[in-house]
Structure formats: structure tokens, C-alpha cells
């Protein structure tokens, strides 16, 4: 049984004045949540404050990016030990917004994944095709390339410490989510590749999240799909009430699936 996981990716939203009440609202709304793991990924500047608010709760802190090196002359960058020092346990890597806006190539993402693993952070490795790639029938080719490159030279045992997120670019922030069947098909394909790269047992234990316009209104159907192990939530994670509802519905769907 894979424990469902819900990750809130706040992106570049959240001054401290906004982040504190949001984190408090999510924490308080999930006091009795069970059978689900929850990670909040605020902007770097709010990590310490959100970490203090989450301390003593089952909610976990994550970051939205990191540099592949542990330290160095890299102006404006954040290294993995700076994140673990603040209590971060997860880091989102290879998000399509960074691939596109910052031009992050697969090779750099791979270095980040290996560094994060070496420094005790769980990478949430994002893959996903654009609308044009899907139209051309290149969905599997795209995600396969991103997965193989992202996990290059990561040993089978270390692959067990990764979380994957399938985020079709056309579904991010558009309001148009992938259907459970569309996501399930890609997740199944990714799990098959993980079997080959690691082992069947390891592939069966890795959480594959879906991301892209997940909302309280559509999460139930997505979470009921056996291949979807939770969600990476952007816009809808900026409302405490909305995100709490997403988490609770995910936990319920997971419990039903587990029975
Ligand atoms: P969205 O973003 O939920 O706003 O579509 C998801 C993501 O980019 O992780």
C-alpha cells in the first residue's frame, strides 16, 4: 500500500503576512487527518516561518527548488543543506515552470535529484508533456525522456527514495485537468519504466502524484484512480479550506482503495 501524498506548491505566492495564516489554517484544518501525508512548499523566504507553524504537527515542510551543489559561489542560489537545516524533507525538482522559464535542462535536474538524495531530501521529480507534444502523440516519449534523464545514474535503491509527479503542462494553472484515465495511463507507463530502472518491488512502492488544476471539485475522481497516489497542487493550495478539502478527499479515496 502506498501512502497517499498531497503537496501544496505555493509557487511565488506568499509574503510572510500571507504565508503565516495559510499555513496555520492548513495545519489546524488537518489536525485529525490520517492515512495521508501532507507537504507544504512555500517560497524560500517563508520556509522558516512556516516550519515553526508546522512544528509538532504531522505536516511536513518542502522547498520548490535547490541548487545541485552543497555550497559555492552561486549568487542567489539555495543549497540542499540550507533546506534541511530549516526542516525541509522534500524538494520539488524539474517543475515545468522552471524547465520553461529558467531553461533548466534534464542534465541539471538530474544533478539536483542526485544531490537532494545525497543530502537527505526527497526529490519530487516532475515530468509532463506540452499540449503540442500530446497532439503529436509524443506524450510517452516526452515523459520517458524526462524520467530516464532525471534518474540517470541514480541507483536502484536510491530510486526508492524519489516521488514522481506527472504534470501535463497543458493542465497547469489552466483549469483543465487531465482526466483520471489520461493520468492513469501515463502513471502506469511511468511505473513500468521504474520497474525497468529499479525493480518491480521498488516501482510498486513509489508514489506517483498527479498535478495540473487539481481542485476540491475534481480530486475525488482523480484520487480514486488506482495509479494516482496523490496530488501536487498549485493554485488550489493557496486556500487553506480548499487544500484541506483536497487532502481529506484524497485520504478517503486512499482508504477506499486500500480496502
Ligand atoms: P495548478 O499547478 O494546480 O495551479 O495547476 C500545479 C503545479 O504546477 O504544480
Amino acid at each position: 500500500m502506498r501512502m497517499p501524498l498531497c503537496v501544496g506548491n505555493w509557487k511565488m505566492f506568499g509574503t510572510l503576512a500571507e504565508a503565516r495564516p495559510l499555513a496555520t489554517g492548513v495545519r489546524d484544518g488537518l489536525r485529525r487527518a490520517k492515512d495521508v501525508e501532507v507537504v507544504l512548499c512555500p517560497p524560500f523566504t517563508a520556509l522558516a516561518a512556516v516550519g515553526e507553524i508546522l512544528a509538532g504537527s504531522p505536516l511536513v515542510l518542502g522547498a520548490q527548488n535547490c541548487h545541485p551543489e552543497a555550497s559555492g559561489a552561486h549568487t542567489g542560489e539555495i543549497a540542499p543543506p540550507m533546506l534541511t537545516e530549516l526542516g525541509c524533507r522534500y524538494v520539488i525538482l524539474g517543475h515545468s515552470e522552471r524547465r520553461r522559464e529558467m531553461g533548466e535542462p534534464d542534465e541539471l535536474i538530474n544533478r539536483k535529484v542526485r544531490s537532494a538524495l545525497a543530502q537527505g531530501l526527497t526529490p519530487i521529480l516532475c515530468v509532463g508533456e506540452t499540449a503540442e507534444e500530446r497532439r503529436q502523440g509524443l506524450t510517452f516519449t516526452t515523459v520517458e525522456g524526462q524520467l530516464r534523464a532525471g534518474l540517470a545514474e541514480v541507483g536502484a535503491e536510491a530510486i526508492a527514495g524519489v516521488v514522481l509527479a506527472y504534470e501535463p503542462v497543458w493542465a497547469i494553472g489552466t483549469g483543465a485537468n487531465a482526466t483520471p484515465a489520461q493520468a492513469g495511463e501515463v502513471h502506469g507507463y511511468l511505473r513500468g519504466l521504474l520497474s525497468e530502472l529499479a525493480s518491480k518491488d521498488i516501482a510498486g512502492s513509489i508514489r506517483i502524484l498527479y498535478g495540473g488544476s487539481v481542485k476540491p471539485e475534481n480530486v475525488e475522481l482523480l484520487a480514486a484512480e488506482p495509479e494516482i497516489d496523490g496530488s501536487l497542487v498549485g493554485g488550489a493550495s493557496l486556500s487553506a479550506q480548499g487544500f484541506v478539502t483536497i487532502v481529506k478527499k484524497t485520504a478517503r479515496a486512499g482508504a477506499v482503495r486500500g480496502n
Side-chain angles (χ1 to χ4, degrees):
M1 250 296 272
R2 298 182 291 268
M3 171 78 90
L5 170 63
C6 291
V7 181
N9 173 12
W10 294 3
K11 306 192 179 183
M12 200 174 72
F13 294 99
T15 59
L16 288 179
E18 293 160 337
R20 284 197 178 101
L22 177 54
T24 305
V26 174
R27 180 199 65 191
D28 293 349
L30 293 173
R31 280 205 190 285
R32 278 186 294 277
K34 56 177 176 48
D35 302 328
V36 63
E37 197 180 342
V38 181
V39 179
L40 297 186
C41 301
F44 289 128
T45 48
L47 281 172
V50 171
E52 276 173 30
I53 290 166
L54 301 187
S57 84
L59 278 64
V60 175
L61 194 63
Q64 299 176 20
N65 181 37
C66 69
H67 193 274
E69 290 171 32
S71 65
H74 304 291
T75 302
E77 291 293 323
I78 307 279
M82 299 169 183
L83 300 176
T84 51
E85 182 183 44
L86 292 177
C88 285
R89 303 232 308 264
Y90 287 81
V91 60
I92 299 170
L93 295 174
H95 192 283
S96 61
E97 284 158 9
R98 296 200 60 85
R99 290 180 189 265
R100 188 181 65 232
E101 294 177 21
M102 310 294 162
E104 284 197 9
D106 282 319
E107 176 272 332
L108 173 63
I109 294 162
N110 172 246
R111 284 170 56 216
K112 293 184 181 195
V113 167
R114 286 186 285 138
S115 170
L117 284 166
Q119 319 262 353
L121 285 164
T122 298
I124 301 171
L125 173 61
C126 304
V127 301
E129 82 287 1
T130 62
E132 181 59 20
E133 285 162 343
R134 177 163 280 264
R135 208 183 52 74
Q136 291 185 22
L138 294 173
T139 297
F140 294 135
T141 311
T142 302
V143 298
E144 176 167 353
Q146 291 169 338
L147 183 74
R148 286 188 188 278
L151 295 180
E153 287 169 54
V154 178
E157 295 301 318
I159 288 178
V162 171
V163 169
L164 283 190
Y166 168 55
E167 295 208 308
V169 178
W170 48 270
I172 296 178
T174 60
N177 59 288
T179 64
Q182 284 173 323
E185 185 183 35
V186 177
H187 287 215
Y189 186 75
L190 292 170
R191 206 176 295 287
L193 291 169
L194 289 170
S195 282
E196 185 196 309
L197 294 171
S199 70
K200 195 157 187 293
D201 277 0
I202 289 173
S205 73
I206 292 178
R207 269 103 44 105
I208 307 182
L209 312 181
Y210 166 75
S213 297
V214 174
K215 296 176 281 241
E217 301 79 44
N218 62 20
V219 70
E220 236 155 340
L221 285 178
L222 287 162
E225 158 61 45
E227 275 295 341
I228 299 179
D229 303 314
S231 45
L232 179 49
V233 188
S237 71
L238 298 173
S239 149
Q241 206 194 352
F243 188 63
V244 164
T245 303
I246 287 172
V247 172
K248 287 183 175 170
K249 287 187 172 180
T250 300
R252 233 173 287 143
V256 170
R257 262 167 49 178
N259 287 333

